[in-house]
Amino acid sequence: MMKINPSASPLYMLSCLVMLLLLPLPSLLAADPDPLQDFCVADLSASTSVNGFLCKPASNVSSDDFFFDGLSKEGNTTNVFGSRVTAANVLSFPGLNTLGSSINRVDFAPGGINPPHSHPRASETGVVISGQLLVGFVTTGNVYFSKVISAGQIFVIPRGLVHFQKNVGQEKALAFTSFNSQLPGADVLPLNLFASTPPIPNDVLTKAFQVGDDVVNSIKSKFGS
Ligand code: GLV
Ligand code: MN
């Protein structure tokens, strides 16, 4: 009688395929990969490049690596948007390396906006410390969700979705935002589209927005390109 090699059976091959497809699932669901040690303070000067940063030798790590006072001061909001994002991510605070977490301070002048942008690598939660903010985001199906919130109230922006905040109060406003990534990244739409290097050709932008060269040139000039 012919013997069937179990490793060649269709059922075995199907289970192997399912296993292979499921293997990357945990890493797809998490924002940043899980750490493999207690800490890995980033060595930002290492010449080797990995997905994240190499760890400083533990013998060179001190308490200062786990504290950061860069968010204690008000940001300068004198700019076209009337807002300032100050980031505590792995680049400014290397102790965050491999920990899947970072935080921003966002200051707003009256009427200031944090312009429409998205974070490719993280969801965002935010808390308003003072003032009144209109917080809005748009889904991939172009549904707009928004609310005006004030001190002590929080919001969440699902990963990758375009969102903004606007100070709709009479006074300055302050919020802190946190991310499930050490380096969430930010695609700031007005800058991405109208101030890239090299610039996106005008004929792309005029057709995308159904406007003339004059409008595109005028927007580009506002962002210095
Ligand atoms: C706010 O949206 C921020 O990205 O800090
Ligand atoms: Mn944001």
Side-chain angles (χ1 to χ4, degrees):
M1 201 171 92
M2 196 177 84
K3 272 211 167 155
I4 296 180
N5 174 359
S7 66
S9 78
L11 190 61
Y12 177 81
M13 307 239 300
L14 187 66
S15 350
C16 285
L17 189 64
V18 170
M19 291 285 286
L20 270 178
L21 290 175
L22 289 181
L23 265 181
L25 207 55
S27 55
L28 287 180
L29 294 177
D32 277 4
D34 285 335
L36 301 177
Q37 60 266 307
D38 281 356
F39 59 78
C40 171
V41 176
D43 177 356
L44 298 179
S45 62
S47 54
T48 311
S49 171
V50 292
N51 188 17
F53 295 94
L54 292 186
C55 315
K56 253 168 83 153
S59 54
N60 292 353
V61 169
S62 70
S63 294
D64 281 348
D65 285 307
F66 301 106
F67 297 89
F68 179 66
D69 74 353
L71 303 192
S72 57
K73 293 187 194 64
E74 184 176 341
N76 181 352
T77 58
T78 313
N79 56 59
V80 285
F81 298 126
S83 76
R84 173 72 56 182
V85 174
T86 311
N89 57 36
V90 68
L91 298 178
S92 53
F93 184 12
L96 291 173
N97 195 36
T98 75
L99 301 182
S101 166
S102 57
I103 182 166
N104 282 352
R105 170 187 178 125
V106 196
D107 288 280
F108 299 86
I113 59 160
N114 185 11
H117 64 280
S118 69
H119 304 287
R121 293 182 287 275
S123 295
E124 169 178 332
T125 51
V127 58
V128 178
I129 304 299
S130 61
Q132 283 188 300
L133 288 184
L134 167 66
V135 179
F137 72 88
V138 185
T139 68
T140 55
N142 300 326
V143 180
Y144 171 56
F145 293 96
S146 72
K147 193 163 196 153
V148 173
I149 57 171
S150 52
Q153 299 185 310
I154 68 169
F155 61 89
V156 62
I157 310 292
R159 176 176 175 170
L161 297 190
V162 171
H163 61 284
F164 68 87
Q165 297 96 24
K166 178 176 183 359
N167 180 1
V168 291
Q170 303 300 313
E171 312 290 330
K172 294 183 208 175
L174 171 64
F176 282 87
T177 51
S178 72
F179 304 88
N180 58 339
S181 168
Q182 63 181 25
L183 194 59
D187 290 323
V188 182
L189 296 188
L191 303 181
N192 267 199
L193 294 173
F194 296 98
S196 63
T197 310
I200 297 179
N202 270 26
D203 58 338
V204 173
L205 295 171
T206 53
K207 202 161 176 82
F209 291 101
Q210 297 289 293
V211 294
D213 269 314
D214 50 336
V215 175
V216 168
N217 287 334
S218 154
I219 300 176
K220 281 185 170 175
S221 71
K222 299 221 162 54
F223 299 120
S225 81

